[in-house]
Amino acid sequence: MNAKIIKPPAEELYKKELLALEKHDKGPKPLNWRLSPKAVRTFILGSDEPLEIEGEEIYIKKKFYGDDALIERCIVTLAGNRGLMLVGEPGTAKTMLSELLTAAICGISTNTIQGTAGTTEDMIKYSWNYAMLLAKGPSKEALVPSPLYTGMENGIITRLEEITRCPSEVQDSLISMLSDKVLNIPELGKDGVVFASPGFNVIATANIRDKGVNEMSSALKRRFNFETVFPIKDLSLEVEIIENESRKLLKQADIDMEIDRDAVKILASTFHELREGITVEGHRLDKPEAVMSTAEAVSVYFQSAMSAYYYDGGDISMDRVVQNILGAVIKESREDLNKLKNYFTIVAKQRSTKEGGLWTNYYSAKKWIK
Ligand SMILES: Nc1ncnc2c1ncn2[C@@H]1O[C@H](COP(=O)(O)OP(=O)(O)O)[C@@H](O)[C@H]1O
Ligand SMILES: [Mg+2]
């Protein structure tokens, strides 16, 4: 695969890990799975023991931090006959999990439908190549399969991103495929039936906080096992994720730069404490309406690091960090601005006198919040 692509799919990014796991996998596998449920779990949660492959020691990195039992439940759901629905606030790694699960289970994470207000039933089922349709009439060759069709035919998982953004009647067209595991194509007459092969399943994701989402029918809900993915509870874990993810992004952007751990800690504290509405010292804070997710914190760090790299001679400054936090926080309402300001006058001020260091720079960068 081309090394110069912006975001390689998970199966490409972790190719060696997957090969090593496959080679050493002795656990029982559901039909058509590439790895056993045990190995899928190891792929996502990592292991301390390296696996040898062609004389090389491969370490399986931990990719998801948080609730380990959730991962097991997700994997077991996928081996059964109900779909998996991941719900939660934006930026809680639902998409990441769905990519990792599909890469490990069937080796393809790109068999995906992105739900939008413009998603139609054709995009869920199948459409036609019209030139071919006119020339040959309805036939298998003229049919353009959807990712769901492909999943059923090949016995692999189909990902449905942001399912609740699809109009309700389009969502409901999934019901028969999920319960009967069959897709009818009336245009093809008696040949027009696709039965799902073993290994087929669906992972859907839905953000609970997005505006403009459509209610999901109870009939469709019953076809899924729901799992809620929560924001990270532990501040030090969040620091670690922001650090690792920022390092990954900088490397992808071809920027050779060390991560400033103290800056990451301040950023993580700000996001964590505002999201939870309470500081580590126990002060109550007003929670902003904006999503203070780990993913947003990563993008603030990355932006600030890029500015430092291109404009400031390489050192990340708290001025840049605060400017970028503004961009992340002031998306929903102007009131969030005051909540952020409050954080500085209460928390940052106190820590600048108590701890000094970068907190002092951070506190003086409050001038950008106008
Ligand atoms: N619990 C977590 N473990 C590992 N990474 C996380 C976690 N929560 C958030 N992240 C980071 O934030 C990003 C969240 O992105 P994404 O999967 O797009 O979220 P969602 O689909 O829930 O909106 C991930 O790619 C990862 O870098
Ligand atoms: Mg997502």
Side-chain angles (χ1 to χ4, degrees):
M1 186 174 279
N2 185 351
K4 291 259 181 286
I5 54 180
I6 293 179
K7 184 178 178 285
E11 58 273 23
E12 202 53 46
L13 203 59
Y14 302 111
K15 198 173 185 171
K16 276 202 177 154
E17 287 190 21
L18 290 167
L19 278 173
L21 281 165
E22 201 169 11
K23 188 183 156 200
H24 294 270
D25 196 1
K26 294 195 185 70
K29 285 180 206 169
L31 222 57
N32 256 340
W33 279 32
R34 180 177 161 174
L35 296 177
S36 67
K38 239 184 177 163
V40 176
R41 180 182 183 278
T42 309
F43 176 64
I44 295 175
L45 297 175
S47 86
D48 301 328
E49 292 290 310
L51 297 172
E52 177 276 331
I53 179 167
E54 287 164 9
E56 198 181 341
E57 285 195 329
I58 305 287
Y59 281 90
I60 311 300
K61 286 195 274 299
K62 187 170 179 65
K63 301 168 190 76
F64 177 77
Y65 294 80
D67 185 0
D68 291 2
L70 166 93
I71 302 300
E72 271 178 12
R73 287 198 304 274
C74 291
I75 299 169
V76 169
T77 292
L78 290 170
N81 56 14
R82 279 186 172 201
L84 170 65
M85 175 75 67
L86 298 171
V87 298
E89 303 228 331
T92 45
K94 299 179 295 300
T95 299
M96 182 188 90
L97 256 184
S98 133
E99 285 168 351
L100 293 173
L101 285 165
T102 46
I105 292 172
C106 48
I108 303 166
S109 65
T110 50
N111 191 43
T112 307
I113 299 170
Q114 178 68 50
T116 69
T119 304
T120 60
E121 200 168 324
D122 290 6
M123 298 176 191
I124 302 268
K125 293 183 164 175
Y126 56 87
S127 51
W128 300 98
N129 171 334
Y130 285 102
M132 195 95 92
L133 188 65
L134 288 176
K136 290 198 175 171
S139 61
K140 261 258 157 110
E141 299 88 80
L143 186 139
V144 181
S146 73
L148 202 76
Y149 186 116
T150 306
M152 292 177 87
E153 194 162 55
N154 300 345
I156 59 174
I157 295 172
T158 302
R159 293 176 42 215
L160 288 164
E161 279 287 305
E162 310 271 358
I163 186 169
T164 44
R165 300 200 66 84
C166 303
S168 303
E169 65 275 16
V170 176
Q171 290 180 29
D172 275 353
S173 64
L174 285 164
I175 293 176
S176 71
M177 284 176 274
L178 288 176
S179 51
D180 306 333
K181 313 285 182 206
V182 58
L183 169 60
N184 289 304
I185 309 158
E187 295 92 332
L188 295 186
K190 64 176 174 25
D191 296 329
V193 194
V194 181
F195 295 102
S197 302
F200 166 70
N201 210 332
V202 167
I203 305 179
T205 65
N207 279 326
I208 49 181
R209 272 238 266 178
D210 278 0
K211 296 204 174 86
V213 300
N214 300 291
E215 189 54 55
M216 203 187 301
S217 70
S218 338
L220 184 58
K221 280 182 186 162
R222 282 197 296 276
R223 268 68 186 188
F224 284 100
N225 282 347
F226 278 61
E227 291 291 348
T228 307
V229 191
F230 290 101
I232 295 165
K233 274 271 167 268
D234 182 34
L235 180 57
S236 59
L237 268 186
E238 194 157 359
V239 170
E240 204 175 316
I241 294 175
I242 298 172
E243 207 176 326
N244 290 342
E245 290 299 311
S246 304
R247 186 172 297 121
K248 226 180 340 184
L249 287 174
L250 287 170
K251 195 170 163 215
Q252 273 170 20
D254 216 7
I255 293 178
D256 183 20
M257 207 175 156
E258 288 293 317
I259 302 289
D260 183 336
R261 193 122 215 254
D262 290 334
V264 172
K265 277 187 187 158
I266 291 179
L267 188 60
S269 301
T270 307
F271 273 67
H272 199 91
E273 291 173 318
L274 280 170
R275 178 171 70 229
E276 300 286 324
I278 189 160
T279 69
V280 285
E281 296 90 357
H283 272 302
R284 296 259 159 220
L285 296 169
D286 279 339
K287 295 186 198 179
E289 266 174 63
V291 185
M292 307 296 295
S293 70
T294 315
E296 282 287 348
V298 170
S299 93
V300 168
Y301 188 89
F302 180 51
Q303 285 284 119
S304 311
M306 282 206 296
S307 313
Y309 181 78
Y310 288 117
Y311 294 118
D312 306 336
D315 285 330
I316 202 161
S317 75
M318 286 293 125
D319 290 319
R320 294 286 193 196
V321 171
V322 172
Q323 288 163 5
N324 286 311
I325 289 179
L326 277 177
V329 175
I330 317 306
K331 279 177 183 161
E332 303 290 337
S333 80
R334 295 290 299 175
E335 255 169 59
D336 283 355
L337 198 69
N338 290 328
K339 294 176 184 165
L340 183 67
K341 231 186 221 167
N342 231 8
Y343 185 83
F344 277 82
T345 44
I346 297 170
V347 187
K349 187 176 177 188
Q350 197 184 36
R351 289 189 193 153
S352 97
T353 29
K354 255 178 138 180
E355 298 179 31
L358 220 45
W359 276 104
T360 308
N361 301 4
Y362 195 50
Y363 179 56
S364 57
K366 174 178 172 279
K367 63 174 182 276
W368 297 104
I369 312 173
K370 294 197 185 92

